[in-house]
Amino acid sequence: MSESVTTSSTQRYDVILIGAGIMSTTLGAILKELQPQWSIALFESLDSAGEEASDPWNNAGTGHAALCELNYTPRGADGSISTAKAAGINEQFHVSKQLWSHWVNNGTLGDPRTFINSLPHISFVWGDENVQYLKDRYEAMRAEPLFENIEYTEDMDTIGDWAPLLTGGRDPSQPVAASKFDDGTDVDFGAISRQLAEHLQTSGLDLHYGYEVKDVSRTSDGQWNVRAKNSSAGEKLNASAPFVFVGAGGGALGLLQSSGIDEIRGIGGFPVSGQFLRTTDPEVAEQHHAKVYGLASTKGAPPMSVPHLDTRFVGGRRALMFGPYAGFSTNFLKSSSYLDLPLSVRPHNLATQLGVAAGNWELVTFLLKEVTKSQKKKLEELYKFYPDAPADAWEMITAGQRVQMMRKDENGKAMLQFGTELVTGADGSIAGLLGASPGASTTPSIMFRLLERCFPSKMESWRPKLEEMVPSYGRLLNDDPQLLQEVSSDSQRTLKLAG
Ligand SMILES: Cc1cc2nc3c(=O)[nH]c(=O)nc-3n(C[C@H](O)[C@H](O)[C@H](O)COP(=O)(O)OP(=O)(O)OC[C@H]3O[C@@H](n4cnc5c(N)ncnc54)[C@H](O)[C@@H]3O)c2cc1C
């Protein structure tokens, strides 16, 4: 790769990043450390970084460490609780904390309080069957080194000590249970995106705010050409590079389709919007210091719609958020067009989309019910968690769009996927990210996977630097309790978190 060269109409770079959310800014900052001499351009259609799904009011800000989200520990057909998915996500969150610590230490990120705060992560259930599930989950989790700090109780008073809003006004005879980790976090991914974007700009990256990328296409010399337009200034930019990352969130599907790579064929996008109840009333917000996740009470509810009552720290202020309430809207980004869904339908993904629609009536019915739910009904959901909630303290806010991926499985069955999917072209010269949670919390691990897939010949020379950035790089902490202890206390100390 070479230094950037300006031609009459096309600026040449070593790397082009599209979108300034948590994904692209993280990849940019990693690449700047691994290859400081590479020229990098970043195109963002909005006027600032981290304003779409990564904005703190557009997501739930959970440092998804699988400490409280019950959908990561399902009960299997044999009745046992599987901790495999939770362990995988927790490992990835340790990687995130190590990288953020490295960046705090070298000044890439600022004061950790501006983007991460300590917060107990609690799971809370009611009803005999759910109490039994939580108890079995506790037994399964405490056997894993990653989760050995879990606490469990069925005692209403203890739950009241942990999170008083859950128990005030609750029927004392109701069977309840809760588990708790004190080392959970609340993360502002918008703040991380903005700090990384600022760092990248001062390190020489060409950041083009206000430029929407219209398409990505192959040139005859094997490069990727990116066409971008700033509509308000009436300006166009062309840029090319041997490697492009499409970190455009909900905009990624259309841009990957424009690239014509085989790997995007057959894939469709299903947008699910979300709303949260929010209060910034200090009298209410000061009484709760936790993220509390429950179980979905409605049949067909997708995994990302499990209810949770979260303390949030945004811009140094404390708030409470409850939700999400799922909704349906055909745009793929909060700021984009309602035509996104119809325009994403292509001959090669039509069968997948129809197959998913036909096979997911429970989800469709769930979404219809959610969309038509009255404010009163929405508050009733809150009262199940927080029986004494003052109705007038809450406002409804619209969260970011999640574009869930629709694709065919190996048996040709159309399915809807709820995770995050890294799509890479066969030659590794283009990559993009589709899907949603656990998304932001696991960004560093996703970006390291991208490097392994797209730059395999570089990995050996990059390894010492990668191990400096993430001391446990390539190793599983669950298999090495001593290393787990070391990296946990290092990142807790650097990020000023409770241990
Ligand atoms: C309701 C909700 C709750 C969530 N909760 C959590 C959570 O608790 N924990 C968690 O880890 N994750 C959560 N997520 C997922 C998380 O928010 C996403 O995985 C993550 O923010 C995605 O980051 P990104 O950089 O890919 O996308 P984004 O942050 O959306 O960034 C994409 C950027 O690309 C820009 N862009 C788009 N198209 C173009 C174009 N054509 N040209 C130029 N720029 C373009 C956009 O303006 C945007 O700035 C949640 C998401 C939602 C919607």
Side-chain angles (χ1 to χ4, degrees):
M1 300 217 188
S2 60
E3 293 293 304
S4 70
V5 179
T6 312
T7 65
S8 54
S9 57
T10 302
Q11 182 91 9
R12 296 179 75 110
Y13 294 94
D14 293 316
V15 170
I16 294 176
L17 307 170
I18 303 174
I22 188 73
M23 298 291 170
S24 287
T25 53
T26 298
L27 180 59
I30 293 173
L31 285 174
K32 263 287 160 211
E33 275 196 61
L34 294 175
Q35 292 289 155
Q37 77 283 14
W38 279 5
S39 58
I40 306 180
L42 197 160
F43 292 92
E44 166 56 53
S45 52
L46 303 178
D47 294 330
S48 161
E51 299 284 335
E52 272 285 345
S54 303
D55 180 87
W57 297 125
N58 287 343
N59 63 57
T62 307
H64 270 303
L67 302 176
C68 57
E69 303 88 343
L70 298 174
N71 50 310
Y72 296 144
T73 45
R75 200 188 272 291
D78 65 352
S80 67
I81 304 286
S82 167
T83 56
K85 185 163 188 188
I89 289 169
N90 191 268
E91 291 275 0
Q92 295 181 65
F93 194 63
H94 275 288
V95 169
S96 301
K97 286 197 292 186
Q98 288 174 71
L99 184 62
W100 296 334
S101 300
H102 169 73
W103 281 341
V104 167
N105 284 330
N106 73 8
T108 299
L109 290 175
D111 182 349
R113 282 279 182 278
T114 58
F115 66 87
I116 189 165
N117 281 277
S118 269
L119 199 63
H121 279 198
I122 294 176
S123 307
F124 175 62
V125 298
W126 54 88
D128 289 325
E129 193 183 329
N130 294 339
V131 168
Q132 187 60 50
Y133 161 73
L134 199 69
K135 191 172 184 191
D136 294 347
R137 174 184 178 271
Y138 161 70
E139 294 298 343
M141 287 189 88
R142 68 201 279 246
E144 306 283 351
L146 287 170
F147 302 120
E148 66 183 14
N149 295 333
I150 188 171
E151 294 174 62
Y152 175 80
T153 184
E154 292 173 20
D155 177 51
M156 192 75 85
D157 290 340
T158 307
I159 297 174
D161 289 342
W162 291 357
L165 299 187
L166 301 178
T167 53
R170 187 172 294 279
D171 173 359
S173 66
Q174 187 181 41
V176 288
S179 62
K180 175 166 80 89
F181 288 92
D182 283 328
D183 53 352
T185 57
D186 176 58
V187 183
D188 180 343
F189 300 106
I192 299 179
S193 309
R194 282 184 277 282
Q195 291 181 27
L196 292 179
E198 253 182 72
H199 160 78
L200 288 169
Q201 249 179 327
T202 53
S203 322
L205 174 141
D206 277 353
L207 212 165
H208 300 284
Y209 281 127
Y211 277 85
E212 183 185 353
V213 173
K214 296 294 181 184
D215 56 44
V216 179
S217 58
R218 266 282 197 216
T219 60
S220 52
D221 60 353
Q223 304 267 313
W224 288 105
N225 190 67
V226 166
R227 258 184 350 109
K229 187 174 176 191
N230 183 325
S231 296
S232 46
E235 284 172 8
K236 290 181 182 171
L237 276 180
N238 266 4
S240 70
F243 177 76
V244 172
F245 174 61
V246 186
L253 178 63
L255 291 174
L256 286 168
Q257 285 175 333
S258 75
S259 76
I261 56 169
D262 283 344
E263 290 70 17
I264 200 69
R265 290 178 70 78
I267 294 178
F270 184 81
V272 179
S273 60
Q275 288 184 316
F276 285 97
L277 285 170
R278 174 175 69 182
T279 179
T280 46
D281 179 344
E283 267 188 39
V284 180
E286 294 292 338
Q287 292 183 61
H288 188 72
H289 187 71
K291 278 189 193 290
V292 181
Y293 271 62
L295 282 166
S297 54
T298 320
K299 213 178 165 202
M304 76 281 199
S305 68
V306 291
H308 43 98
L309 181 64
D310 301 347
T311 301
R312 303 298 312 275
F313 300 97
V314 179
R317 291 190 62 202
R318 175 190 278 262
L320 277 198
M321 224 155 78
F322 178 79
Y325 300 95
F328 180 72
S329 165
T330 52
N331 47 318
F332 282 180
L333 289 159
K334 219 172 155 179
S335 61
S336 67
S337 149
Y338 290 113
L339 293 175
D340 288 344
L341 178 61
L343 288 177
S344 74
V345 179
R346 303 287 157 96
H348 58 73
N349 65 20
L350 180 62
T352 313
Q353 312 225 16
L354 293 174
V356 166
N360 285 276
W361 278 115
E362 267 188 0
L363 173 65
V364 174
T365 318
F366 168 81
L367 288 177
L368 275 174
K369 275 195 195 145
E370 283 281 296
V371 172
T372 51
K373 224 180 219 170
S374 65
Q375 181 82 357
K376 189 167 163 266
K377 283 265 174 228
K378 286 180 177 168
L379 279 168
E380 278 168 19
E381 291 297 316
L382 171 65
Y383 299 145
K384 288 181 197 164
F385 257 72
Y386 173 9
D388 283 343
D392 54 1
W394 302 84
E395 58 174 332
M396 189 62 85
I397 59 165
T398 300
Q401 285 290 91
R402 300 174 195 253
V403 182
Q404 307 300 151
M405 196 160 116
M406 297 185 275
R407 72 176 333 161
K408 288 192 176 160
D409 66 13
E410 56 283 4
N411 303 316
K413 187 171 177 276
M415 51 178 237
L416 189 61
Q417 262 177 239
F418 288 105
T420 307
E421 181 88 8
L422 180 64
V423 176
T424 48
D427 64 357
S429 64
I430 186 166
L433 210 80
L434 301 174
S437 292
S441 309
T442 57
T443 301
S445 300
I446 298 171
M447 292 304 115
F448 291 136
R449 251 187 340 266
L450 178 151
L451 296 182
E452 284 157 18
R453 277 208 226 162
C454 297
F455 300 94
S457 63
K458 292 263 174 216
M459 290 313 289
E460 206 182 311
S461 61
W462 283 349
R463 183 166 272 275
K465 188 76 200 173
L466 290 169
E467 285 172 355
E468 192 189 314
M469 292 167 150
V470 175
S472 75
Y473 185 82
R475 290 181 282 173
L476 286 181
L477 298 174
N478 211 25
D479 295 345
D480 191 338
Q482 197 189 329
L483 183 64
L484 170 63
Q485 181 60 41
E486 279 166 27
V487 301
S488 299
S489 22
D490 279 355
S491 43
Q492 302 294 103
R493 195 174 44 250
T494 308
L495 298 175
K496 303 182 187 168
L497 300 172

